[in-house]
Amino acid sequence: MSKADKKPVGFATHITAGGMAGAMEALCCQPLDTIKVRMQLSKSGMAPGTKPRGFLATGAMIMRRETPLALYKGLGAVLSGIVPKMAIRFASFETYKGWLADKETGKTSIGNIFISGLAAGTTEAVAVVCPMEVVKIRLQAQQHSLADPLEAPRYRNAGHAVYTILREEGFLTLYRGVSLTALRQATNQGANFTAYQELKKLAHKYQPDRTELPSYQVMMIGLISGAMGPFSNAPIDTIKTRLQKAPAQPGKTAFQRISAIGAEMWRQEGVRSFYKGITPRVLRVAPGQAIVFAVYERVRTIIERINVDDNDTYSE
């Protein structure tokens, strides 16, 4: 089937391919995300003559004090939200991209692809990512040992964390930091989808005989595009993490809390504190996007072939 003959991908395909891609990413990359969160919450390096605890040292400390399984804290919250998150990301991006496409040629300009990515990132942030990350961060921030059954954690699992948060702090707590989450996801997906689409076009330009790129090329393109977001919005992500971990402060608006956290970080820890956890975040997001795009493209292709074969069978 030529590219011109391809039918638009259905929503069910986005759910299946996106969900499988997201689950694979979470299973492979969750330890890096846990290390990133711990680094962002850490106040190490504040004392004169000391340095902040690094990526490897943080990971080693978690495994030594809490067992290696602690690196997967919050995985339940991630997996429970990954299917709708990825379905919404890809489905909304393609929808926005279609709306902004040129009516005559059907092509979408690079500027409109970026806008579609911004809109898709905002959509997924509000619909899924923010509440999922509040729960995930609460679980990841717990420094209890999984090897000691007597050391009871505050939150036993994702479901218990949601129940406790709703009972003690209210529904709106799940949306604490939603503005920062939306800003982070918007910039992430704007940069991610723009770079991915343009690099994919370039790869097809130099390989005009290929209708589908091989998986290793898709992974490389995803790796490069995935690294764009973390470098552009690291301060946003660090402030968001601290905001979502902190308890509610009555009488203070979200903007006041965000400003207070940013000012305290600047005053007590310096400019470097805004980039805490950047190494594990890039190491998680970049290969994570490589996995997501490779799995997504492969599953989507398989589903399309199955649908074509079924249509051919029914038409005989």
Side-chain angles (χ1 to χ4, degrees), residues 89 92-101 107-124 182-199 201 225 227-230 232-233 236:
R89 174 182 297 180
S92 63
F93 172 74
E94 293 296 338
T95 300
Y96 297 134
K97 182 182 166 188
W99 288 347
L100 296 172
K107 293 182 179 180
T108 310
S109 68
I110 185 171
N112 284 338
I113 285 175
F114 181 71
I115 293 171
S116 300
L118 290 177
T122 303
T123 303
E124 72 174 18
L183 183 58
R184 185 200 64 184
Q185 292 302 112
T187 51
N188 266 352
Q189 300 318 319
N192 187 17
F193 276 115
T194 304
Y196 181 77
Q197 296 279 324
E198 292 303 305
L199 289 171
K201 284 180 190 175
S225 67
M228 301 290 182
S232 66
N233 57 29
I236 297 170

Side-chain angles (χ1 to χ4, degrees), residues 296-309:
Y296 176 82
E297 296 282 6
R298 179 57 56 195
V299 173
R300 189 182 70 171
T301 300
I302 292 170
I303 293 173
E304 286 176 340
R305 286 175 182 167
I306 291 171
N307 289 339
V308 168
D309 290 342

Side-chain angles (χ1 to χ4, degrees), residues 129-138 154-155 161-179 181 240-250 254 257:
V129 177
C130 188
M132 179 185 75
E133 289 206 341
V134 170
V135 175
K136 175 183 70 72
I137 287 167
R138 294 292 182 93
R154 176 172 172 74
Y155 308 115
V162 171
Y163 172 76
T164 305
I165 291 168
L166 291 175
R167 187 188 64 193
E168 297 181 358
E169 302 176 63
F171 176 78
L172 290 179
T173 302
L174 293 175
Y175 279 89
R176 184 173 297 157
V178 66
S179 57
T181 304
K240 176 200 71 68
T241 297
R242 294 198 179 194
L243 177 68
Q244 291 177 324
K245 192 262 182 182
Q249 295 178 309
R257 292 198 300 270

Side-chain angles (χ1 to χ4, degrees), residues 10 42 45 54 63 66 71 95 112 142 145 149 167 170 223-224 230 251 275:
S42 172
M63 289 191 289
E66 305 170 51
L71 293 172
T95 300
N112 284 338
Q142 296 185 124
S145 175
R167 187 188 64 193
L223 186 75
I224 296 168
Y275 288 86

